[in-house]
Amino acid sequence: MKHLKKIIKCYDSFEENLLAVSLAVTVTVIFVQVIARYVFDSSLSWSEEFARYVFIWQIWLGTSMATRERTHVKVEILQGMLGKKGNCILNITGCIGVLVFAFFLVRYGYLSMISIMGRHAVSSAMRIPLWIVYLSLPVGNLLVCLRMVVQIIEEIGKMTALLHSDKEDGGELV
């Protein structure tokens, strides 16, 4: 388990650095594009397409990071009305819902990518295979699936600890 946590921590760091570098590169490319267009009256033919495709990858990798940080939008009205055990059950239910949806996106994103790959479609300006862009959907959501499994395991651990402490205290289980 220690090795797995170390691998996850290394990946987390890689993901954060990749997103930061990609943001810096994108901002730089767009800045150069604006200068080229308005100062030199010439433009880079590939810059907008590059920024768009990097942005798509940033979105799906950022989804994984937001999942890790538990910063996705959620309705919290029930959390204030439930106790610790109820919140654990609510969190597990929410994680399972996100897991199912993310798996759906992995599956159909993969099928979409395979379809694009079969057509040998390429981008108009940079001439890169479009399946590379479409690959962002299954990759990003596979990472979300993995993070959801980790969160479900954590929530089950919290629930087990709560149930165990209630049994020792002679408290109610529900």
Side-chain angles (χ1 to χ4, degrees):
M1 191 66 163
K2 237 181 189 181
H3 294 296
L4 182 61
K5 285 187 179 189
K6 191 172 185 178
I7 290 169
I8 291 171
K9 190 173 181 177
C10 285
Y11 174 74
D12 290 346
S13 177
F14 170 76
E15 186 177 64
E16 288 174 16
N17 291 328
L18 179 64
L19 286 168
V21 168
S22 68
L23 179 62
V25 168
T26 304
V27 167
T28 302
V29 167
I30 294 300
F31 177 74
V32 169
Q33 165 67 3
V34 169
I35 298 299
R37 180 176 290 164
Y38 292 106
V39 174
F40 300 111
D41 200 29
S42 176
S43 65
L44 306 171
S45 62
W46 54 270
S47 63
E48 291 175 31
E49 186 175 89
F50 172 80
R52 184 179 329 119
Y53 295 156
V54 171
F55 185 59
I56 290 168
W57 272 95
Q58 288 171 335
I59 289 167
W60 292 115
L61 290 177
T63 301
S64 167
M65 191 167 128
T67 301
R68 179 189 82 211
E69 300 293 325
R70 299 175 187 236
T71 56
H72 281 294
V73 175
K74 61 184 173 183
V75 179
E76 297 179 341
I77 192 165
L78 291 177
Q79 287 182 325
M81 297 168 22
L82 299 173
K84 290 180 182 179
K85 288 175 276 193
N87 277 324
C88 282
I89 292 169
L90 184 65
N91 288 338
I92 291 169
T93 305
C95 286
I96 290 170
V98 171
L99 178 63
V100 168
F101 183 68
F103 182 76
F104 174 84
L105 291 176
V106 169
R107 182 175 173 3
Y108 289 101
Y110 174 77
L111 293 174
S112 180
M113 183 210 56
I114 293 298
S115 174
I116 294 294
M117 189 184 282
R119 293 185 207 142
H120 304 287
V122 295
S123 66
S124 57
M126 295 189 308
R127 310 302 297 166
I128 62 167
L130 283 178
W131 67 264
I132 294 171
V133 178
Y134 279 76
L135 181 63
S136 64
L137 181 62
V139 167
N141 281 284
L142 181 61
L143 294 169
V144 169
C145 285
L146 295 173
R147 293 192 186 279
M148 280 292 109
V149 169
V150 168
Q151 287 183 19
I152 290 169
I153 291 168
E154 289 172 354
E155 289 297 326
I156 290 172
K158 287 179 192 175
M159 178 66 102
T160 303
L162 286 170
L163 291 173
H164 185 67
S165 69
D166 278 351
K167 283 182 184 177
E168 287 179 357
D169 295 341
E172 301 259 337
L173 291 178
V174 180

